[in-house]
Amino acid sequence: MLAGEFALIDTIRQRASGRAELQLGIGDDCSILQLPAGHELLTSTDLLLEGVHFRLDWTDLPSLGFKSVAVNVSDLAAMGGNPLALYLGVGLPADFSDAQLTGFLDGIFTGLTEYDLALAGGDTCRSRGGMMISVTVQGSVPKGQAILRSGASPGDDLWVSGTLGDSALALRTLGAGLPVSAFLAERHFRPSARLRLGTRLAEQQLATAMIDLSDGLSGDLRHLLKASETGARVEVARLPLSAEFNAALRADPGLLDLALCGGEDYELLFCAHPAKRAEIELLSQFLALPLRRIGGLTAETDLKFCLANGQAYQPQRAAFDHFRPGKDGSA
Amino acid sequence: MLAGEFALIDTIRQRASGRAELQLGIGDDCSILQLPAGHELLTSTDLLLEGVHFRLDWTDLPSLGFKSVAVNVSDLAAMGGNPLALYLGVGLPADFSDAQLTGFLDGIFTGLTEYDLALAGGDTCRSRGGMMISVTVQGSVPKGQAILRSGASPGDDLWVSGTLGDSALALRTLGAGLPVSAFLAERHFRPSARLRLGTRLAEQQLATAMIDLSDGLSGDLRHLLKASETGARVEVARLPLSAEFNAALRADPGLLDLALCGGEDYELLFCAHPAKRAEIELLSQFLALPLRRIGGLTAETDLKFCLANGQAYQPQRAAFDHFRPGKDGSA
């Protein structure tokens, strides 16, 4: 039996830690936040629904809580923002236990600590369907320094952080009823938001455009290209792939499309002038985070994937789209 | 068959109108907003779930869209804030039609226009349960001028806007399978957020504390009293009741508790020094909105309801609480 809504809010409020910018947190009709002088406000919101974005028989609840924060923070990272506050809405099924709720909140608070966010508000209620989670993150950026999708130019390099396709490979493996390794499970169930990378790219003014990879490289790159009115050529042989992904790829070459079109990588895809290559390599070392140059932007407004032999490659899967049913094993 | 997620986002983006403060709206990873100089940021978030907060066989979709905005704006009104931007998350059942979606969005945009808000972001996905709506509103207030729940003192007057209990009476009538009048339906399905009242009370520094009535007078007043560490005495005979509510009350005196404990009035409950009575009466005339003095704050930290003969009255229903099943006819 769940505690009442107000008791739950009290529990959350007691665990929520403050931040200097947060004048008033949970417990009134609104939060009150002061923006650092000379900064603009960044905001993004995400939904995570049981049966669409997650399955409770696949994920543990601390991981689900952590991921709910991380996917939202990833949007902030993609603008180069500094974290301020997060707002959490949760609809809980009638049979959700106090222990489950505690596990979920443990994950939420781990995420808040990891990304230095204050929990500044929320809403809780019973759900007659499955569990539903709504997260809204606020951050700040010095005026005019946010990295948009629209700033890229032909001739820019195209870079990506981390490795691609691990999360989609985990999902596909689980969908086939097979066990996944600890590495792949971590990549899918507890993704990292590349917040430090995003803020450094903004501070050092290294990137001309940026987006986070939630819907897959192909789909998200198309969003960036459309906003920037440019095209791109991606060298498939340069895609950063993990050792586990490469092993799976040797057994089934068709898996390549997971790296090109699979969702939920939560890596950052960014564009930069070629003069910045050395600085970006240094940043990669400083952050101990691989940054790989996978291609470049072109004046033609299309997207080309090229194999090592120069041949064009056409991936077979469209970008992850929640409204198209039965796609891609997306749970 | 619904359009894809990205097509839906495009449709919404085309209809979203801007505001000067909104540097960047829908279509990037985050929105970018500039706060007016010398202002603080106010934020509140709400969930509305099918089967918990609304039933699609009872509400029309434009009203549901409008109400989703209004209940969220009501929180902003309760702090005395000025509206800036709203973020919308929607999870849509597989059988939701394009016509239904258009109706719902019509209501959302009517609400945005009514309350002068920019739609600055959102998230859309398919829902495997019912329809779910998440709304987050941002506003601003001059530094230090937000009206909190915690500012009331013993001796303050207690005021409430509009009339009480109409929304709960509508819900109770519908729950009994009976038709509701246009007036009651409007009060339940298309509530007004008292935004102009809230901002005027803040500008004129008339209120010491304020809360909006979403969970019922009794429950919400207790929140305010707890935050202010005071008590209150409410004169039941002074409660503002509509002609329709009074007619129902004559037929069934037990309905009184709907005015005391029924949820979703979305009126503002506020405290003010007795020296402000004339100014508040003037504001009531200016806004053409009834403001009724229903009691006063006391040094004892309890809440007393008193009948015309001076006798204490104890309502029989606890505050609306989504986690307690089967309560109060809450759909």
Side-chain angles (χ1 to χ4, degrees):
Chain A
M1 177 66 191
L2 277 171
E5 182 177 359
F6 301 126
L8 173 56
I9 292 170
D10 268 347
T11 305
I12 294 173
R13 192 201 312 197
Q14 282 159 21
R15 291 187 62 175
S17 61
R19 273 188 73 106
E21 296 90 348
L22 190 65
Q23 305 291 302
L24 185 71
I26 297 170
D28 213 305
D29 295 291
C30 295
S31 70
I32 306 180
L33 202 61
Q34 282 190 350
L35 273 195
H39 280 234
E40 296 174 310
L41 175 70
L42 302 175
T43 308
S44 182
T45 191
D46 282 299
L47 292 180
L48 294 92
L49 304 193
E50 185 180 345
V52 179
H53 300 92
F54 61 89
R55 287 174 53 159
L56 288 179
D57 56 339
W58 282 1
T59 183
D60 64 285
L61 282 154
S63 294
L64 179 62
F66 182 84
K67 182 171 179 172
S68 301
V69 175
V71 303
N72 202 210
V73 170
S74 182
D75 285 317
L76 188 60
M79 305 286 282
N82 301 293
L84 285 172
L86 186 124
Y87 302 80
L88 173 68
V90 275
L92 298 174
D95 61 354
F96 211 75
S97 71
D98 280 347
Q100 284 178 296
L101 182 58
T102 301
F104 175 70
L105 291 177
D106 282 347
I108 292 282
F109 283 102
T110 303
L112 294 171
T113 303
E114 172 77 17
Y115 299 114
D116 195 19
L117 283 161
L119 186 64
D123 195 9
T124 59
C125 63
R126 200 156 46 104
S127 163
R128 299 210 176 168
M131 183 179 183
M132 59 123 322
I133 305 161
S134 146
V135 273
T136 303
V137 71
Q138 292 173 332
S140 74
V141 69
K143 253 173 212 166
Q145 276 192 25
I147 304 171
L148 312 189
R149 296 178 181 178
S150 54
S153 307
D156 282 356
D157 291 332
L158 185 66
W159 294 81
V160 71
S161 66
T163 56
L164 299 178
D166 302 319
S167 176
L169 179 58
L171 199 57
R172 187 189 156 97
T173 308
L174 286 164
L178 300 170
V180 291
S181 69
F183 169 78
L184 288 180
E186 178 90 4
R187 293 285 286 159
H188 182 69
F189 292 115
R190 294 182 76 90
S192 290
R194 302 304 188 187
L195 187 63
R196 291 178 68 216
L197 172 60
T199 53
R200 292 304 287 242
L201 288 172
E203 279 168 24
Q204 298 179 225
Q205 306 197 335
L206 290 175
T208 55
M210 185 151 61
I211 190 170
D212 77 315
L213 297 180
S214 53
D215 297 321
L217 172 66
S218 172
D220 288 319
L221 176 52
R222 280 178 211 278
H223 294 315
L224 185 148
L225 296 178
K226 191 177 171 197
S228 289
E229 298 175 0
T230 59
R233 178 185 161 97
V234 172
E235 310 292 338
V236 172
R238 295 188 64 87
L239 294 180
L241 305 176
S242 66
E244 291 216 20
F245 192 94
N246 266 320
L249 191 58
R250 279 191 294 274
D252 177 1
L255 293 181
L256 177 63
D257 289 353
L258 291 179
L260 292 169
C261 306
E264 302 208 273
D265 290 315
Y266 298 108
E267 298 295 345
L268 292 182
L269 180 75
F270 61 97
C271 306
H273 193 272
K276 303 289 188 185
R277 285 180 191 172
E279 227 178 317
I280 291 170
E281 298 289 359
L282 266 177
L283 180 59
S284 170
Q285 288 170 35
F286 174 76
L287 297 173
L289 175 67
L291 299 177
R292 177 78 62 87
R293 189 157 49 83
I294 60 170
L297 299 202
T298 59
E300 303 87 52
T301 56
D302 63 350
L303 170 57
K304 288 201 181 96
F305 292 102
C306 302
L307 299 175
N309 60 12
Q311 246 189 312
Y313 179 78
Q314 192 60 46
Q316 292 309 303
R317 295 154 196 254
F320 186 90
D321 185 337
H322 293 297
F323 279 122
R324 294 196 203 135
K327 275 219 40 283
D328 208 352
S330 56
Chain B
M1 178 65 190
L2 278 170
E5 180 176 2
F6 301 126
L8 174 56
I9 292 170
D10 268 346
T11 305
I12 294 174
R13 193 202 311 198
Q14 281 157 20
R15 293 188 59 175
S17 60
R19 274 188 73 106
E21 297 89 347
L22 190 65
Q23 305 292 302
L24 186 72
I26 298 170
D28 213 304
D29 295 292
C30 295
S31 70
I32 306 181
L33 203 60
Q34 281 190 352
L35 273 195
H39 281 233
E40 296 174 311
L41 175 71
L42 302 175
T43 308
S44 183
T45 190
D46 282 299
L47 292 180
L48 294 91
L49 305 193
E50 184 179 345
V52 179
H53 300 92
F54 62 89
R55 287 173 53 160
L56 288 179
D57 55 340
W58 281 2
T59 185
D60 64 285
L61 283 155
S63 293
L64 179 62
F66 182 83
K67 182 171 180 173
S68 302
V69 175
V71 304
N72 202 211
V73 170
S74 182
D75 285 317
L76 189 60
M79 305 286 283
N82 300 292
L84 285 173
L86 187 126
Y87 302 81
L88 173 68
V90 274
L92 298 175
D95 61 354
F96 210 74
S97 72
D98 280 347
Q100 286 179 296
L101 182 58
T102 300
F104 175 70
L105 291 177
D106 282 347
I108 291 282
F109 283 102
T110 303
L112 294 171
T113 303
E114 172 77 18
Y115 300 114
D116 196 19
L117 284 160
L119 187 62
D123 195 9
T124 59
C125 62
R126 200 154 46 103
S127 162
R128 301 212 173 166
M131 183 179 183
M132 60 125 320
I133 305 161
S134 146
V135 274
T136 302
V137 70
Q138 293 173 332
S140 74
V141 69
K143 254 174 209 163
Q145 276 191 28
I147 305 172
L148 312 188
R149 296 179 180 177
S150 55
S153 306
D156 282 356
D157 292 332
L158 186 65
W159 295 81
V160 71
S161 66
T163 56
L164 300 178
D166 302 319
S167 176
L169 179 57
L171 199 57
R172 188 190 156 97
T173 308
L174 286 165
L178 300 170
V180 291
S181 68
F183 169 78
L184 290 180
E186 179 89 4
R187 294 285 288 160
H188 182 69
F189 292 115
R190 294 182 77 90
S192 292
R194 303 304 188 188
L195 187 63
R196 291 178 66 216
L197 172 61
T199 52
R200 292 305 288 243
L201 288 172
E203 280 167 25
Q204 300 180 225
Q205 307 198 334
L206 290 175
T208 55
M210 185 149 62
I211 190 170
D212 77 316
L213 296 181
S214 53
D215 297 322
L217 172 65
S218 173
D220 287 319
L221 176 52
R222 280 178 212 279
H223 294 315
L224 185 149
L225 297 178
K226 191 177 171 196
S228 288
E229 298 177 359
T230 59
R233 178 185 162 97
V234 173
E235 309 293 338
V236 172
R238 296 188 62 86
L239 294 181
L241 305 176
S242 67
E244 291 216 23
F245 192 93
N246 267 319
L249 190 58
R250 279 191 295 274
D252 177 1
L255 293 181
L256 177 62
D257 290 354
L258 291 180
L260 292 169
C261 307
E264 303 206 273
D265 291 315
Y266 298 109
E267 298 295 344
L268 292 182
L269 180 75
F270 60 97
C271 307
H273 194 273
K276 304 288 189 185
R277 286 180 193 173
E279 226 177 317
I280 291 170
E281 299 289 358
L282 267 177
L283 181 58
S284 171
Q285 288 169 36
F286 174 76
L287 296 174
L289 176 67
L291 299 178
R292 177 76 63 85
R293 188 158 50 82
I294 60 170
L297 299 202
T298 58
E300 302 87 53
T301 56
D302 62 352
L303 169 56
K304 287 201 180 94
F305 291 101
C306 302
L307 298 174
N309 60 12
Q311 245 188 314
Y313 179 78
Q314 191 59 47
Q316 293 307 304
R317 295 157 196 249
F320 186 91
D321 185 336
H322 293 296
F323 278 123
R324 294 196 202 137
K327 272 215 50 282
D328 210 354
S330 54

